[in-house]
Amino acid sequence: MTPPDLNLLVTLDVLLAEGSVAVAARRLRLSPSAMSRALARLRETTGDPLLVRAGRGLVPTPRALELRARVGPVVQEAEEMLRPASALDLQRLVATFSIRASDGFVEAFGPALIVRLQEEAPSVRLRFVQKPDKDSASLRDGSVDLETGVIGPAQSPEIRAQALFSDRFVGVVRQGHPLAQGEVTPDRYAACRHILVSRRGRDAGPIDEALEAVGLRREVATIVGGFSGALALARASDLVAAVPERHTQTMRAGMITFPLPVAVPEITVSLLWHPRLDADPAHRWLRDCVRAICRSPPAFVQA
């Protein structure tokens, strides 16, 4: 069965509203003959004459009267769907947005983001989702609205990404640790026992490569899967942690932070979302809020 031409709905709406082929033609900017052909197609499609001659004019059939009450709202709704989205009223916006991010990101930027959203859109709620891996499936299936993280080679190509900030790695130790006093040289740093953060359980990373370049090697005492775990261990022991500065600015409170004595590449933290949400006004607003919060200067405690 051939699907009906939905463009005929507009023609039907105008014909039934005007009850005249000539007037309907002028309203739709068509010639009378083109409108007559459109009426013929409507009669064939609906199986009903719709408008019949009565003296000099046309009168609607019972089927036309039934359709006249239904077609108008359908056409109006279709026109609304095809118009640009109306201006976003943040005070009336009711929504829950899901953001997939690391614990460090939530602790560093979550409080300020929640305050901003509360001020601008009091009925908006945030749901932070843990990020055990870099799989983009949750962005594709719509279960997550935004994601933050470092883009890897396996990143899905259709996912939109925008850089939020660059982050450098810093060393962190407890109060009273030997590295809390004096200059942290490569030799002093390498002589300590360390915590390696690796989501995949690897036993070496960029810091080890940087130390090797200057002829040094450190002892990795333990490997953990996240920065919050590394800081918890460093806070309660003589182990040394290396963590991203901005991601951990809140979690490092009360600890001693120092620049790494070897050159380690910075990381770029990006905001990720699915392209179907590009033009959504509420999603654009949320992205702007995240970007604004991440532009705030980081706190840094110098040893």
Short mmCIF file of all heavy atoms in Angstrom, two decimals, residues 154-185:
data_model
loop_
_atom_site.label_atom_id
_atom_site.label_comp_id
_atom_site.label_asym_id
_atom_site.label_seq_id
_atom_site.Cartn_x
_atom_site.Cartn_y
_atom_site.Cartn_z
N ALA A 154 40.24 5.29 21.18
CA ALA A 154 39.06 4.46 20.92
C ALA A 154 37.76 5.26 20.98
O ALA A 154 36.68 4.69 20.89
CB ALA A 154 39.00 3.31 21.92
N GLN A 155 37.87 6.59 21.10
CA GLN A 155 36.67 7.42 21.21
C GLN A 155 35.80 7.29 19.96
O GLN A 155 36.29 7.35 18.83
CB GLN A 155 37.06 8.89 21.41
CG GLN A 155 35.89 9.84 21.53
CD GLN A 155 35.10 9.59 22.79
OE1 GLN A 155 35.67 9.52 23.87
NE2 GLN A 155 33.81 9.42 22.66
N SER A 156 34.49 7.10 20.14
CA SER A 156 33.57 6.96 19.02
C SER A 156 33.59 8.23 18.17
O SER A 156 33.47 9.34 18.70
CB SER A 156 32.16 6.70 19.56
OG SER A 156 31.26 6.51 18.51
N PRO A 157 33.72 8.13 16.85
CA PRO A 157 33.90 9.33 16.01
C PRO A 157 32.69 10.24 15.94
O PRO A 157 32.84 11.43 15.65
CB PRO A 157 34.22 8.73 14.62
CG PRO A 157 33.64 7.35 14.66
CD PRO A 157 33.79 6.89 16.07
N GLU A 158 31.47 9.71 16.20
CA GLU A 158 30.30 10.58 16.07
C GLU A 158 30.06 11.45 17.30
O GLU A 158 29.26 12.39 17.27
CB GLU A 158 29.04 9.76 15.77
CG GLU A 158 28.37 9.14 17.00
CD GLU A 158 28.90 7.76 17.33
OE1 GLU A 158 30.00 7.42 16.84
OE2 GLU A 158 28.21 7.02 18.05
N ILE A 159 30.76 11.17 18.40
CA ILE A 159 30.55 11.91 19.63
C ILE A 159 31.17 13.31 19.52
O ILE A 159 32.29 13.47 19.08
CB ILE A 159 31.17 11.16 20.83
CG1 ILE A 159 30.50 9.79 20.99
CG2 ILE A 159 31.05 11.97 22.10
CD1 ILE A 159 29.01 9.84 21.26
N ARG A 160 30.39 14.32 19.89
CA ARG A 160 30.90 15.69 19.92
C ARG A 160 31.82 15.88 21.13
O ARG A 160 31.59 15.31 22.19
CB ARG A 160 29.75 16.69 20.01
CG ARG A 160 28.81 16.66 18.82
CD ARG A 160 29.42 17.39 17.64
NE ARG A 160 28.41 17.61 16.61
CZ ARG A 160 28.17 16.80 15.61
NH1 ARG A 160 28.88 15.70 15.48
NH2 ARG A 160 27.24 17.07 14.71
N ALA A 161 32.85 16.70 20.99
CA ALA A 161 33.78 16.95 22.09
C ALA A 161 34.25 18.39 22.05
O ALA A 161 34.46 18.98 20.98
CB ALA A 161 34.97 16.01 21.99
N GLN A 162 34.40 18.96 23.24
CA GLN A 162 34.94 20.32 23.36
C GLN A 162 35.86 20.37 24.57
O GLN A 162 35.48 19.92 25.67
CB GLN A 162 33.82 21.35 23.51
CG GLN A 162 34.32 22.78 23.49
CD GLN A 162 33.19 23.78 23.49
OE1 GLN A 162 32.29 23.69 24.31
NE2 GLN A 162 33.21 24.73 22.56
N ALA A 163 37.06 20.89 24.39
CA ALA A 163 38.02 20.95 25.49
C ALA A 163 37.52 21.87 26.59
O ALA A 163 37.01 22.98 26.33
CB ALA A 163 39.36 21.44 24.96
N LEU A 164 37.64 21.42 27.83
CA LEU A 164 37.26 22.22 29.00
C LEU A 164 38.47 22.91 29.60
O LEU A 164 38.45 24.10 29.88
CB LEU A 164 36.60 21.32 30.06
CG LEU A 164 35.21 20.79 29.73
CD1 LEU A 164 34.75 19.83 30.83
CD2 LEU A 164 34.21 21.93 29.60
N PHE A 165 39.53 22.16 29.85
CA PHE A 165 40.74 22.74 30.44
C PHE A 165 41.87 21.73 30.33
O PHE A 165 41.64 20.53 30.11
CB PHE A 165 40.53 23.11 31.91
CG PHE A 165 40.09 21.97 32.78
CD1 PHE A 165 41.00 21.11 33.38
CD2 PHE A 165 38.74 21.74 33.01
CE1 PHE A 165 40.60 20.07 34.19
CE2 PHE A 165 38.31 20.68 33.81
CZ PHE A 165 39.24 19.85 34.40
N SER A 166 43.08 22.23 30.46
CA SER A 166 44.25 21.36 30.55
C SER A 166 44.59 21.16 32.02
O SER A 166 44.39 22.06 32.85
CB SER A 166 45.44 21.98 29.82
OG SER A 166 45.19 22.04 28.43
N ASP A 167 45.10 19.99 32.33
CA ASP A 167 45.42 19.67 33.72
C ASP A 167 46.83 19.09 33.78
O ASP A 167 47.20 18.27 32.94
CB ASP A 167 44.40 18.66 34.26
CG ASP A 167 44.19 18.80 35.76
OD1 ASP A 167 44.97 19.53 36.40
OD2 ASP A 167 43.24 18.19 36.29
N ARG A 168 47.59 19.52 34.77
CA ARG A 168 48.94 18.97 34.95
C ARG A 168 48.94 18.04 36.17
O ARG A 168 48.15 18.20 37.10
CB ARG A 168 49.95 20.08 35.15
CG ARG A 168 49.77 20.90 36.43
CD ARG A 168 50.95 21.79 36.67
NE ARG A 168 50.77 22.60 37.87
CZ ARG A 168 51.73 23.33 38.43
NH1 ARG A 168 52.94 23.36 37.88
NH2 ARG A 168 51.51 24.03 39.52
N PHE A 169 49.86 17.10 36.16
CA PHE A 169 50.01 16.20 37.30
C PHE A 169 50.90 16.85 38.36
O PHE A 169 51.89 17.51 38.03
CB PHE A 169 50.59 14.86 36.86
CG PHE A 169 49.56 13.95 36.25
CD1 PHE A 169 49.24 14.03 34.90
CD2 PHE A 169 48.89 13.03 37.04
CE1 PHE A 169 48.28 13.20 34.36
CE2 PHE A 169 47.93 12.19 36.50
CZ PHE A 169 47.63 12.27 35.15
N VAL A 170 50.52 16.66 39.60
CA VAL A 170 51.29 17.17 40.73
C VAL A 170 51.54 16.03 41.71
O VAL A 170 50.82 15.03 41.73
CB VAL A 170 50.56 18.33 41.44
CG1 VAL A 170 50.48 19.55 40.55
CG2 VAL A 170 49.16 17.89 41.90
N GLY A 171 52.58 16.19 42.53
CA GLY A 171 52.85 15.21 43.57
C GLY A 171 52.12 15.59 44.84
O GLY A 171 51.95 16.77 45.15
N VAL A 172 51.70 14.59 45.60
CA VAL A 172 50.95 14.84 46.84
C VAL A 172 51.45 13.89 47.93
O VAL A 172 51.61 12.68 47.68
CB VAL A 172 49.43 14.63 46.63
CG1 VAL A 172 48.67 15.03 47.90
CG2 VAL A 172 48.93 15.43 45.45
N VAL A 173 51.69 14.45 49.13
CA VAL A 173 52.08 13.65 50.29
C VAL A 173 51.34 14.17 51.51
O VAL A 173 50.77 15.25 51.51
CB VAL A 173 53.61 13.72 50.53
CG1 VAL A 173 54.37 13.06 49.40
CG2 VAL A 173 54.06 15.18 50.72
N ARG A 174 51.37 13.39 52.57
CA ARG A 174 50.73 13.78 53.83
C ARG A 174 51.56 14.87 54.51
O ARG A 174 52.74 15.09 54.20
CB ARG A 174 50.62 12.58 54.75
CG ARG A 174 51.96 12.01 55.19
CD ARG A 174 51.83 11.04 56.33
NE ARG A 174 53.14 10.47 56.68
CZ ARG A 174 54.04 11.06 57.44
NH1 ARG A 174 53.80 12.27 57.94
NH2 ARG A 174 55.21 10.47 57.71
N GLN A 175 50.92 15.57 55.45
CA GLN A 175 51.65 16.51 56.30
C GLN A 175 52.73 15.73 57.08
O GLN A 175 52.48 14.65 57.59
CB GLN A 175 50.69 17.16 57.29
CG GLN A 175 49.63 18.06 56.66
CD GLN A 175 50.18 19.43 56.30
OE1 GLN A 175 51.31 19.78 56.67
NE2 GLN A 175 49.39 20.21 55.57
N GLY A 176 53.92 16.29 57.15
CA GLY A 176 55.00 15.65 57.87
C GLY A 176 55.82 14.67 57.06
O GLY A 176 56.79 14.10 57.56
N HIS A 177 55.46 14.47 55.82
CA HIS A 177 56.23 13.57 54.95
C HIS A 177 57.60 14.20 54.67
O HIS A 177 57.73 15.44 54.60
CB HIS A 177 55.46 13.36 53.64
CG HIS A 177 56.03 12.29 52.76
ND1 HIS A 177 57.14 12.48 51.97
CD2 HIS A 177 55.64 11.00 52.55
CE1 HIS A 177 57.40 11.38 51.31
NE2 HIS A 177 56.50 10.46 51.64
N PRO A 178 58.65 13.40 54.47
CA PRO A 178 59.98 13.96 54.18
C PRO A 178 59.98 14.91 52.98
O PRO A 178 60.75 15.89 52.97
CB PRO A 178 60.83 12.72 53.91
CG PRO A 178 60.18 11.64 54.72
CD PRO A 178 58.72 11.93 54.68
N LEU A 179 59.16 14.66 51.98
CA LEU A 179 59.13 15.54 50.81
C LEU A 179 58.41 16.86 51.08
O LEU A 179 58.41 17.75 50.22
CB LEU A 179 58.46 14.83 49.62
CG LEU A 179 59.22 13.65 49.01
CD1 LEU A 179 58.47 13.13 47.79
CD2 LEU A 179 60.64 14.04 48.63
N ALA A 180 57.80 16.99 52.27
CA ALA A 180 57.10 18.24 52.60
C ALA A 180 58.09 19.36 52.90
O ALA A 180 57.70 20.54 52.93
CB ALA A 180 56.18 18.02 53.80
N GLN A 181 59.34 19.04 53.12
CA GLN A 181 60.36 20.03 53.40
C GLN A 181 61.46 20.00 52.34
O GLN A 181 61.86 18.93 51.88
CB GLN A 181 61.00 19.76 54.78
CG GLN A 181 60.02 19.81 55.94
CD GLN A 181 59.46 21.20 56.18
OE1 GLN A 181 60.15 22.20 55.94
NE2 GLN A 181 58.22 21.28 56.62
N GLY A 182 61.92 21.17 51.95
CA GLY A 182 63.03 21.27 51.02
C GLY A 182 62.60 21.08 49.57
O GLY A 182 61.44 20.81 49.25
N GLU A 183 63.58 21.21 48.67
CA GLU A 183 63.32 21.07 47.24
C GLU A 183 63.10 19.60 46.88
O GLU A 183 63.82 18.71 47.31
CB GLU A 183 64.51 21.61 46.44
CG GLU A 183 64.32 21.50 44.93
CD GLU A 183 65.57 21.89 44.16
OE1 GLU A 183 66.58 22.27 44.82
OE2 GLU A 183 65.54 21.81 42.91
N VAL A 184 62.07 19.37 46.09
CA VAL A 184 61.79 18.00 45.63
C VAL A 184 62.56 17.79 44.33
O VAL A 184 62.13 18.20 43.25
CB VAL A 184 60.28 17.77 45.43
CG1 VAL A 184 60.03 16.34 44.96
CG2 VAL A 184 59.52 18.04 46.72
N THR A 185 63.70 17.15 44.44
CA THR A 185 64.54 16.88 43.27
C THR A 185 64.13 15.53 42.67
O THR A 185 63.47 14.72 43.33
CB THR A 185 66.01 16.82 43.67
OG1 THR A 185 66.20 15.72 44.57
CG2 THR A 185 66.44 18.12 44.35
#
